[in-house]
Every structure is written in C-alpha cells, then in structure tokens.
Amino acid sequence: MTRIRGKMLAAALLALAAPAAAASNPPAWTRPIAPFHLIGPIDYVGTEGLAAYLIHTSAGAILIDAPMAENAARLERNIAARAKLRDVKLILLSHAHFDHAGGLAALKRATGAKLVVGAADARAVETGTPPGETNYGVIRFPAAHVDRAIRDGETVTLGGVTLTAVATPGHTPGCTSWKMRILDRGVPRDVLFACSITVAGNRLVGNRAYPSIVGDFRRSFDRLAREKPDVVLPFHPETADVLGRAKRDALVDPTVLPKMVQDARAAFDADLARQQHQHLD
C-alpha cells in the first residue's frame, strides 16, 4: 500500500509540474498553423513559433527539426498534408534542445526515417539530456537513435538534393546549420537553415560541461558572417520574420543573415559581460 501511495504521489507531482513547465514556454511554440509552401522545394510544417522544414526530392522528403514532443502529432498531420509520412527518408536536426528535438523519437517511428545530427550533439539526442549548463536547469526530451553523426562540411543527399552541414556551435556543442541550393522559379538561390546563435540561458562563465562555449560562439559568429545566403530560414521563425516574409513573397533578402549575426554578437557580448560581473561578485 505504501508503494502504491508513493507512485500515486509521484504521478500527482508530475502532473502538477507539467502544466507549470508548459506555461513557461511561449504559447506560439505549440500554436498550430496550416502547413504551406515557402520557396523552391521547401514547405513549412512547424508551429507558429517553432519551425520545421520539409524538403521535397525525387526520392522522398527531408525533414529538418521535430520541435517539441507536444507538437509531434500536429507535425505528423502537417507533413501528411504535404507528402506521405513514409516518404520522409531523412530527418536532420539543428540542435539538441527539447523545443527542437523533442519530437524526433515520435517522427522516426511514424516515418521510418534515418536521423542525422551534429556529432557533438549526438549523445544528447540519444540520452534525451541536453548538453551544457543553463540558468533554467535541465529540460529532458524523448531520446532518439542517431543514425549518422555529421561533422562540418559533410553532406547528405537524397533524390538529387544535397544539404551541407555548417557547424555553428555555441548554443549547443553540436548546433548545426544546413545549406543548400534551390531553384526558385528558375533562379538559383542559396538557402541557409540557420541554427540558433542566441545565448538563451546558457552559462557562459564556469560552464564545466561545455568549457569551450565562449570561443565556440565567437567562431560561429565569424563563420556565419562569411556565409552569403539569399534566403535564411531559422528555427525560431520570428528571428527572420519567416512567416511574414513568406506572406509578402519576400524571403529572398541577402541582408537578413548579416543583421542576425550583428544582433546576436552584440547580445552575446552584453550577456557575457553581465555573467562575468556576477561571477566576480
């Protein structure tokens, strides 16, 4: 009887904690929107506040990101509205945080797709434990088997479509941006699916789990400053106003990435200075 009561108490505490955790996330992260065509072979299949991109090829589809376990069923429906679920052959990941990797396990089951992850985030995905240290603690997500751990400059190809991994660590050690070339109404365009470059609660000072975090952020800013994409598609769509630009048919804009990097670098420097000051105190 004592064991049963213990289990009931644990379940009750979990039920109470879950709404509190959910309430702390922006409502847009779970707010559904209808899937729609973006540009070239790329569709948007995510929620209002968390992007997932579906790329069509002659041999099936490639999905980038599976944001949040709570969104998995909606994501499956959005994909099914644009392609058959079993047509998804590859799932690529931007980085191993719950709001981008939480639906990976469910989507792998639903599609049978192979999962490709930045090498330094592979263990986090396979354990469901995010890497590094943050000021908001550890938010776990359903673990998923990684079929391929990819490194900077390596490629994935399906049906004549190739994406190249661009290592942009900092936000997580394996944070990976992806770039590809598309035809947009007959015009070649370079597209960058940009991994997060915000501090977003990461511990920059005294991060024992990720001691190279500051240098990685700075190298990623420099790396992205050298990229020259025509179209930037981040995984928090408001970062580049993806939804608004899509409605205005204004996704092609080479000024987007330089502005993103400039803003992120300035915010990083300010956050680092603040954390260093707090550390001294």
Side-chain angles (χ1 to χ4, degrees), residues 37 39-41 181-190 230 252:
H37 175 250
I39 190 170
R181 175 160 286 192
I182 66 168
L183 279 179
D184 169 32
R185 291 166 283 197
V187 179
R189 306 285 192 194
D190 289 320
D230 303 297
V252 177

Side-chain angles (χ1 to χ4, degrees), residues 18 23 50 52 54 63 66 68 79 116 131 133 139 141-142 144 149 153 176 194 197 207 215 237-238 240 242 245 255:
L50 291 172
L54 190 68
L63 176 68
M68 293 184 64
I79 293 170
V116 184
E133 299 175 6
I139 304 178
F141 52 86
T176 301
I197 50 174
N207 192 325
E238 74 280 2
V242 172
R245 287 175 182 273
T255 70

Side-chain angles (χ1 to χ4, degrees), residues 256-273:
V256 169
L257 185 61
K259 180 68 162 56
M260 281 177 56
V261 173
Q262 179 183 12
D263 290 348
R265 197 192 299 264
F268 169 85
D269 287 340
D271 209 333
L272 177 61

Side-chain angles (χ1 to χ4, degrees), residues 137-190:
V138 176
I139 304 178
R140 290 178 53 83
F141 52 86
H145 172 67
V146 174
D147 297 287
R148 181 183 173 191
I150 199 165
R151 300 185 184 279
D152 184 51
E154 295 181 344
T155 61
V156 294
T157 299
L158 180 71
V161 171
T162 296
L163 289 98
T164 302
V166 181
T168 46
H171 192 77
T172 68
C175 200
T176 301
S177 301
W178 299 90
K179 62 181 179 181
M180 66 181 297
R181 175 160 286 192
I182 66 168
L183 279 179
D184 169 32
R185 291 166 283 197
V187 179
R189 306 285 192 194
D190 289 320

